[in-house]
Amino acid sequence: MSKATLTLDGMAPLQGTAESGGDFIRFHTDGGLDARGLDRLHKGRIEIDGRTEKVMLKSVPANPDADGTIELTLQRFQPSSL
């Protein structure tokens, strides 16, 4: 996993780790995110290893894991010129 920063439209940036594969990225954070306030199809950007990509939030868990982390599933847009 790589360190990453996720910025969803209208929200402060979140720090965490990301694991990518194909069209999807799994982003793990424990930054005090209230997942109940997020809805699907939320757009934003993620920076991983110095590269920034446009993403769309696809899946939000109902509750954090036992250790307090939340795993968000993001879908990549086509490569952009960000």
Side-chain angles (χ1 to χ4, degrees):
M1 284 204 206
S2 300
K3 290 188 179 193
T5 302
L6 174 65
T7 305
L8 296 172
D9 293 345
M11 296 181 66
L14 298 168
Q15 302 296 318
T17 57
E19 182 178 8
S20 60
D23 292 338
F24 293 92
I25 298 170
R26 293 182 353 189
F27 179 76
H28 300 261
T29 186
D30 61 357
L33 175 67
D34 182 4
R36 293 172 296 173
L38 292 175
D39 57 349
R40 289 177 166 223
L41 305 180
H42 210 86
K43 296 178 184 176
R45 292 176 176 76
I46 191 164
E47 182 181 330
I48 305 171
D49 295 330
R51 268 190 31 230
T52 301
E53 298 182 60
K54 287 184 181 180
V55 292
M56 180 177 11
L57 184 60
K58 294 298 279 186
S59 174
V60 180
N63 297 304
D65 292 340
D67 64 358
T69 61
I70 292 177
E71 179 182 293
L72 304 176
T73 302
L74 310 165
Q75 183 174 6
R76 291 178 158 131
F77 281 84
Q78 292 297 323
S80 66
S81 59
L82 291 178

